[in-house]
């Protein structure tokens, strides 16, 4: 069945869907902080059983729970479709999880913060889900006593100050997908700016060890430095055992300058390149993971309810685990990767369409 892709970066893309569920979840990479590790384990249980993160195993989120009644609001940018659909799908997931409608405020660029604060107080909102940087800025101006869950953002320099789910896919899921397509790969290079993505690389190092991958992270603080490092990676790369990961990073993954260089060199050297951005699949990377917005909303609803419980989660931005997968069949064929019907069935978007 073919239908319109909900991903913000490619509203006109067509996808082949036989099973909309994301790939089976891999374990979270174990973080060093015991409190965060315990919370991730509780969240894994929540994903399987719709439990409130941090609450006892018998505590379910239902419309009858007093804490959930009219207590959660959503702030999101007031933008036109198709980008607006990203946020409305997230809100749909939140409402499905809570089994009730939530108060949602679309934010114009020049919205009145006092009017917003009055509306939140009038509706008895205790926790807001702030989507996008505009939602985060608006939430920062509200009553500090309000709980805030953040999403719709790929990375945050001060991620440890927030609770939420980033749009950057969990490296464990990316590496699992890579090994299923190219099991001979043993080393993965990634060029990143630590100001944006040090938190993600901490997870990536642990995930790489779990999957038997030697992660080769390289730091770059500007575009010119990133370009030099990419040239060095390609000069040293062996397409039979190496791969390159393009994270969501505004410094090191520039679609105008860096991406054409990467794709040209990768094609010439038959080097697998995978990405955290859906848009890159149509341009030539082997595969990417991208958000399942409704499922993301469900888990944001769990986090929001958790903030109102007796067991609030610790502050942490979690990587995205509610994902779809996209595959470039032409690139796979060029790399000699078999893409049988069984393999294709595990992807929600194929390019070009078979």
């Amino acid at each position: 069945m073919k239908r319109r892709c909900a991903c913000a970066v490619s509203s006109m893309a067509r996808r082949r869907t036989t099973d909309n569920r994301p790939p089976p979840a891999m374990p979270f990479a174990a973080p060093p902080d015991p409190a965060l590790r315990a919370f991730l384990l509780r969240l894994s249980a929540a994903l399987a059983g719709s439990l409130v993160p941090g609450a006892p195993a018998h505590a379910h989120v239902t419309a009858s729970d007093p804490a959930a009644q009219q207590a959660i609001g959503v702030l999101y940018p007031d933008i036109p479709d198709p980008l607006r659909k990203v946020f409305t799908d997230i809100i749909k997931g939140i409402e499905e999880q809570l089994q009730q409608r939530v108060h949602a405020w679309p934010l114009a660029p020049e919205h009145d913060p006092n009017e917003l604060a009055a509306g939140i107080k009038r509706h008895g909102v205790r926790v807001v889900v702030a989507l996008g940087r505009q939602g985060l800025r608006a939430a920062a101006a509200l009553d500090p006593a309000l709980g805030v869950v953040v999403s719709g953002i790929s990375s945050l320099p001060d991620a440890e100050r927030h609770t939420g789910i980033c749009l950057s896919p969990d490296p464990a899921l990316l590496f699992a997908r890579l090994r299923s397509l190219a099991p001979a790969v043993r080393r993965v290079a990634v060029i990143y700016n630590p100001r944006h993505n040090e938190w993600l690389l901490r997870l990536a190092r642990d995930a790489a060890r779990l999957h038997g991958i030697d992660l080769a992270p390289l730091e770059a603080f500007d575009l010119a430095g990133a370009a030099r490092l990419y040239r060095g990676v390609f000069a040293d790369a062996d397409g039979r055992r190496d791969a390159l990961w393009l994270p969501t990073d505004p410094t090191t993954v520039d679609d105008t300058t860096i991406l054409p260089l990467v794709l040209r060199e990768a094609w010439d050297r038959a080097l697998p390149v995978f990405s955290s951005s859906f848009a890159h699949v149509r341009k030539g990377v082997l595969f990417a993971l991208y958000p399942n917005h409704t499922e993301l909303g469900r888990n944001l609803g769990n986090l929001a309810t958790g903030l109102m419980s007796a067991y609030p989660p610790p502050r942490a931005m979690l990587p995205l685990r509610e994902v779809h997968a996209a595959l470039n069949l032409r690139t796979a064929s060029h790399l000699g990767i078999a893409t049988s019907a069984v393999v294709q069935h595990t992807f929600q978007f194929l390019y070009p369409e078979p």
Side-chain angles (χ1 to χ4, degrees):
M1 176 174 62
K2 299 178 182 177
R3 64 185 182 187
R4 191 78 55 183
C5 177
C7 182
V9 297
S10 185
S11 66
M12 299 302 294
R14 304 287 293 178
R15 68 185 180 196
R16 179 180 182 272
T17 307
T18 55
D19 184 352
N20 282 328
R21 293 172 297 179
M26 300 296 295
F28 281 101
D33 178 34
L36 180 55
R37 184 183 302 114
F39 168 66
L40 293 180
L41 292 174
R42 292 197 296 270
L43 182 60
S44 296
L47 300 184
S50 298
L51 304 182
V52 180
H58 63 273
H60 292 262
V61 179
T62 69
S64 62
D65 289 341
Q69 290 296 322
Q70 306 300 323
I72 294 175
V74 181
L75 312 179
Y76 68 98
D78 188 8
I79 53 178
D81 284 327
L83 294 179
R84 187 184 187 92
K85 190 176 187 305
V86 171
F87 300 112
T88 56
D89 282 350
I90 291 174
I91 293 170
K92 175 185 175 183
I94 294 172
E95 293 180 334
E96 288 179 355
Q97 184 61 30
L98 301 180
Q99 301 177 30
Q100 67 172 52
R101 297 296 297 272
V102 298
H103 294 288
W105 283 269
L107 301 172
E110 301 300 328
H111 74 276
D112 185 342
N114 293 325
E115 182 179 339
L116 175 62
I120 286 174
K121 183 177 181 180
R122 182 170 61 253
H123 290 292
V125 170
R126 294 171 55 195
V127 173
V128 294
V129 178
L131 300 178
R133 297 192 182 276
Q134 190 173 352
L136 180 58
R137 286 194 297 269
L142 296 174
D143 184 349
L146 281 172
V148 178
V149 174
V150 180
S151 193
I153 297 173
S154 296
S155 64
L156 282 173
D158 53 351
E160 69 281 354
R161 294 179 50 223
H162 302 281
T163 298
I165 302 174
C166 277
L167 294 185
S168 295
D170 191 330
L173 300 181
L174 286 164
F175 296 158
R177 184 71 64 164
L178 174 67
R179 293 305 302 272
S180 70
L181 289 172
V185 167
R186 289 293 179 269
R187 182 173 62 172
V188 171
V190 57
I191 298 172
Y192 74 105
N193 186 337
R195 293 171 183 163
H196 299 294
N197 279 320
E198 185 58 45
W199 72 276
L200 188 65
L201 265 291
R202 286 196 294 269
L203 294 177
R205 291 182 181 95
D206 290 339
R209 284 192 291 269
L210 289 174
H211 289 281
I213 290 173
D214 178 17
L215 189 67
L218 300 168
E219 297 181 0
F221 294 91
D222 55 45
L223 193 61
R228 287 193 297 271
L229 290 175
Y230 278 114
R231 292 189 180 95
V233 166
F234 285 114
D236 187 48
D238 179 351
R240 295 167 298 182
R241 63 182 298 274
D242 293 338
L244 176 64
W245 168 27
L246 301 179
T248 305
D249 194 303
T251 302
T252 67
V253 186
D254 171 76
D255 285 7
T256 302
T257 305
I258 295 295
L259 188 62
L261 164 70
V262 167
L263 294 178
R264 182 176 62 251
E265 292 291 333
W267 185 270
D268 291 344
R269 300 170 187 272
L271 182 75
V273 178
F274 60 100
S275 175
S276 298
S277 172
F278 172 87
H280 293 168
V281 170
R282 300 190 72 198
K283 295 180 179 180
V285 304
L286 175 60
F287 76 90
L289 300 182
Y290 61 99
N292 178 336
H293 296 110
T294 302
E295 289 303 313
L296 170 60
R298 286 181 175 275
N299 290 332
L300 291 173
N302 267 326
L303 280 177
T305 309
L307 286 181
M308 295 184 290
S309 75
Y311 304 86
R315 293 183 185 272
M317 288 299 294
L318 305 175
L320 181 72
R321 295 185 58 83
E322 304 80 25
V323 297
H324 288 313
L327 175 68
N328 188 308
L329 294 171
R330 180 169 175 262
T331 300
S333 176
H334 178 71
L335 295 172
I337 295 173
T339 54
S340 65
V342 173
V343 171
Q344 293 183 24
H345 180 76
T346 67
F347 288 85
Q348 285 72 44
F349 177 86
L350 300 173
Y351 180 84
E353 293 182 1

